[in-house]
Amino acid sequence: MRETILVLDFGSQYTQLIARRIRELGVYSEIRPFNTSLENILKASPKAIILSGGPASVWDEDAPSINPEILFIGIPVLGICYGMQLIAHILGGEVEHSSRREFGPAELEVKDNSDIFSGIPLKIKVWMSHGDRVLRLPQGFVSIACSENSPVAAMRDERHLIFGTQFHPEVIHTEFGKEILSNFVFKVAGCRGGWTARSFVEGVIRDIRERVGKSSKVICALSGGVDSAVTALIVQRAIPDRLYCIFVDTGLLRLNEAKQVVETFRNLDLNLIHVDAGSRFLRRLQGVEDPELKRKIIGEEFIRVFEEEASRIEGVEFLAQGTLYPDVIESVSVKGPSAKIKTHHNVGGLPERMNLKLIEPLRELFKDEVREVGRELGLPSEILERHPFPGPGLAIRIIGEVTKEKLDTLRLADFIFIEEIKKAGIYNEIWQAFCVLLPVKTVGVMGDERTYENVIALRAVTSVDGMTASWSRIPYEVLERVSVRIINEVKGVNRVVYDISTKPPSTIEWE
Ligand code: XMP
């Protein structure tokens, strides 16, 4: 039986981090909404439960809560921040409501270094992010650590193995955070560990084999990105001769990208169908300037091309897709405005249209775990570490109508930008870097000649998940080299500018 630690999500920005940290310790961890029923929790037979933090106050009218019986099913519970306040509140302690937040580092004084604090120094720096705090403990609890602002910075009910920390052990700024979680998982909850993404994938491979059976076929849309590549490699392990990978080359990819994708995947022995559909996409994009319309056209055309190719293969019953865990977590967090900002192009909706069953080998993995599995399955680092790239490709980085000439111009400028940041050794620090071709001409002078040519905007951002981003502080010398090279080497460009907008209120892509 697989050891599982359930994390009940109260909407903290760190919830996924808790699950990732537990998995890094070698124990499988899953995130469930805070209101998961007792029955469903018992079904998962967890070794322990962690209650995450969250933005609410226990005093809010509709404060998220749990059935108190969950605390007493006989397995250890750890409440972090809001999770701890909730435990204190529902068990009769006193939580003080405060509109002032304590945010940032604080000094923790450990009063009892057994259990979760075992082997930990008596004074450590921890990361706080809370408004409310526990003032009076519920019956049966003792305070096991304090800080200047929190008389109860950690608590324990020894009899029922219920713990709480006001600080966030999952955040790297908490010293010994990993040890605290490790103590909870191994010493308190008695886990043995040994889970790895790779060993997990072995189970997935067996499942796929069983589901697909002896004769059915599977198709997979390869994009050149990590997720679809690892998906394909896993399915290939399961049913080597019955996987068909379709790579739709939209003609909207980066310089040499299509060639590289084809070579890489052929080297990995994937059964690859390369569809060179560039001219089809260009034709449909003719005269189109509106960003949403571009996205819609590209999405539709992609599905059309994919369907045509798939229909040539007989006996296809399954579609493999690279859905990741963050996409399937039933999150309770407030995700910001729900209005549609951009239509994301993907193959969603395809399985129903084509009457295919879905295979999603990565649906329980985080991105860094997918990379780890990919590395072990032999994916080269260019693909593993490549910056994210949008489905509609360069079409949404050419402002205005997309033409072959503009694509060529943008591709070359983009190649130079990426080459220079790789040379400077900063590629992996940047979430995403690319060029945008503007439909703006400006005056310049080259030699004695007046020029009147286009502008390239450089965009480079740092981000954790693409949801928010800030512009990368690329050293001036690197920016200078990029600018000089683009203006000298790319015909039709005489000016380079750097985009210094954060997301929000801007977005990462320009369209
Ligand atoms: P924005 O521009 O919304 O982008 O800040 C956030 C992240 O999403 C990527 N992106 C896309 N990815 N299909 C994708 O697969 C799309 O249509 C799409 N549009 C944007 C973008 O590159 C960034 O990483």
Side-chain angles (χ1 to χ4, degrees), residues 106-356:
E107 183 137 313
L108 186 82
E109 207 175 300
V110 176
K111 294 195 273 188
D112 176 348
N113 64 351
S114 58
D115 296 330
I116 59 169
F117 292 132
S118 157
I120 296 208
L122 292 178
K123 275 204 165 60
I124 55 172
K125 287 233 157 40
V126 296
W127 190 258
M128 294 283 194
S129 173
H130 65 107
D132 297 0
R133 57 184 186 166
V134 174
L135 273 194
R136 194 169 42 76
L137 289 159
Q139 213 185 0
F141 279 79
V142 289
S143 164
I144 50 175
C146 58
S147 71
E148 200 182 318
N149 278 312
S150 307
V152 184
M155 64 182 197
R156 173 185 68 200
D157 171 353
E158 203 164 350
R159 199 156 76 87
H160 300 104
L161 293 178
I162 304 174
F163 296 82
T165 64
Q166 183 61 75
F167 60 92
H168 291 269
E170 70 278 19
V171 171
I172 47 164
H173 311 292
T174 291
E175 291 176 341
F176 299 94
K178 193 170 174 183
E179 284 76 5
I180 294 169
L181 289 174
S182 164
N183 283 336
F184 177 70
V185 167
F186 297 110
K187 289 209 163 70
V188 178
C191 290
R192 282 169 314 202
W195 182 90
T196 62
R198 183 70 183 89
S199 64
F200 172 74
V201 163
E202 288 306 324
V204 171
I205 291 174
R206 279 195 299 275
D207 291 347
I208 295 175
R209 220 170 264 151
E210 216 163 89
R211 246 189 97 200
V212 175
K214 293 252 180 288
S215 58
S216 303
K217 292 175 183 163
V218 181
I219 48 169
C220 174
L222 273 189
S223 68
V226 186
D227 307 342
S228 63
V230 178
T231 300
L233 287 174
I234 291 175
V235 178
Q236 185 201 30
R237 293 278 157 125
I239 44 148
D241 307 323
R242 284 174 286 133
L243 169 68
Y244 296 78
C245 298
I246 301 176
F247 169 49
V248 178
D249 178 355
T250 57
L252 306 168
L253 302 176
R254 291 162 285 193
L255 194 70
N256 298 330
E257 189 169 1
K259 200 166 139 247
Q260 203 185 31
V261 167
V262 172
E263 264 170 30
T264 307
F265 291 120
R266 296 242 154 100
N267 283 341
L268 287 166
D269 285 332
L270 281 181
N271 179 5
L272 184 73
I273 302 162
H274 174 199
V275 194
D276 185 356
S279 46
R280 278 179 73 158
F281 280 87
L282 258 186
R283 215 174 310 127
R284 291 224 39 213
L285 286 169
Q286 222 170 20
V288 179
E289 293 188 359
D290 178 69
E292 272 303 294
L293 193 54
K294 280 186 195 172
R295 285 173 173 273
K296 201 165 152 263
I297 289 173
I298 295 167
E300 275 172 14
E301 194 62 17
F302 184 93
I303 288 181
R304 210 171 286 167
V305 175
F306 189 81
E307 273 180 338
E308 278 173 25
E309 284 308 315
S311 67
R312 293 183 220 274
I313 310 164
E314 251 173 61
V316 176
E317 270 186 55
F318 294 89
L319 174 80
Q321 237 178 25
T323 317
L324 301 192
Y325 192 45
D327 305 326
V328 298
I329 297 170
E330 248 185 276
S331 180
V332 295
S333 34
V334 189
K335 278 262 160 85
S338 55
K340 184 167 86 179
I341 297 170
K342 293 175 186 180
T343 308
H344 273 214
H345 149 77
N346 54 33
V347 287
L350 252 188
E352 299 83 36
R353 271 177 70 126
M354 299 177 67
N355 201 14
L356 295 173

